Amino acid sequence: MAILWTVMITVLSLISLGNIGSSIKIPNKDKYVHFTFYFVFVVLWFLVAKGIHVSKKTNLIVVLAAIGYGIFMEICQGFTKTRSPEVMDAAANSIGAIIGLFFITSIYKYNKRKPSQN
């Protein structure tokens, strides 16, 4: 799932979506999309990393990779004809990644402390 999500982010970041969602009138709605993409990105890659080894270093690698990837995708948009890089999009990506890490590590810690029900 993490790989498929990453591919989806890549494709959707580099293609033109035309007027999709233009009838929905929410201020800065694209920032919510960016936030959600990278929130889920971190959650999925955390679950992959959890299967290997969970540590503060691993968590840091996951969140920095997400932030770096978000910035990289924004830069790549500058090389397309239909998209353009935006600092606020990179910020929304980064905030989504950071909050995604807090969210998933909180759930992981809570479940680890919770007594098992046998």
Side-chain angles (χ1 to χ4, degrees):
M1 283 302 293
I3 292 171
L4 288 174
W5 190 261
T6 304
V7 169
M8 184 193 75
I9 288 174
T10 304
V11 170
L12 293 176
S13 293
L14 299 176
I15 65 170
S16 172
L17 298 175
N19 291 329
I20 293 176
S22 63
S23 63
I24 301 170
K25 303 297 180 203
I26 300 172
N28 299 310
K29 67 183 169 221
D30 68 310
K31 305 309 179 250
Y32 296 109
V33 173
H34 284 268
F35 175 93
T36 303
F37 277 178
Y38 287 86
F39 179 94
V40 174
F41 181 99
V42 165
V43 169
L44 292 175
W45 281 107
F46 174 89
L47 294 173
V48 169
K50 178 181 165 258
I52 300 166
H53 177 69
V54 174
S55 69
K56 288 182 181 180
K57 182 178 178 183
T58 306
N59 295 346
L60 184 63
I61 290 169
V62 169
V63 79
L64 289 178
I67 291 169
Y69 194 70
I71 292 169
F72 176 70
M73 283 292 94
E74 287 303 314
I75 292 169
C76 288
Q77 288 179 1
F79 297 101
T80 68
K81 292 183 180 187
T82 58
R83 304 295 302 265
S84 60
E86 292 184 30
V87 172
M88 292 309 293
D89 287 350
N93 297 344
S94 300
I95 292 167
I98 292 165
I99 292 177
L101 181 66
F102 284 131
F103 172 78
I104 194 66
T105 55
S106 295
I107 288 175
Y108 181 74
K109 287 176 186 175
Y110 173 77
N111 285 334
K112 205 171 174 182
R113 283 184 276 168
K114 193 169 128 181
S116 62
Q117 311 244 341
N118 291 331

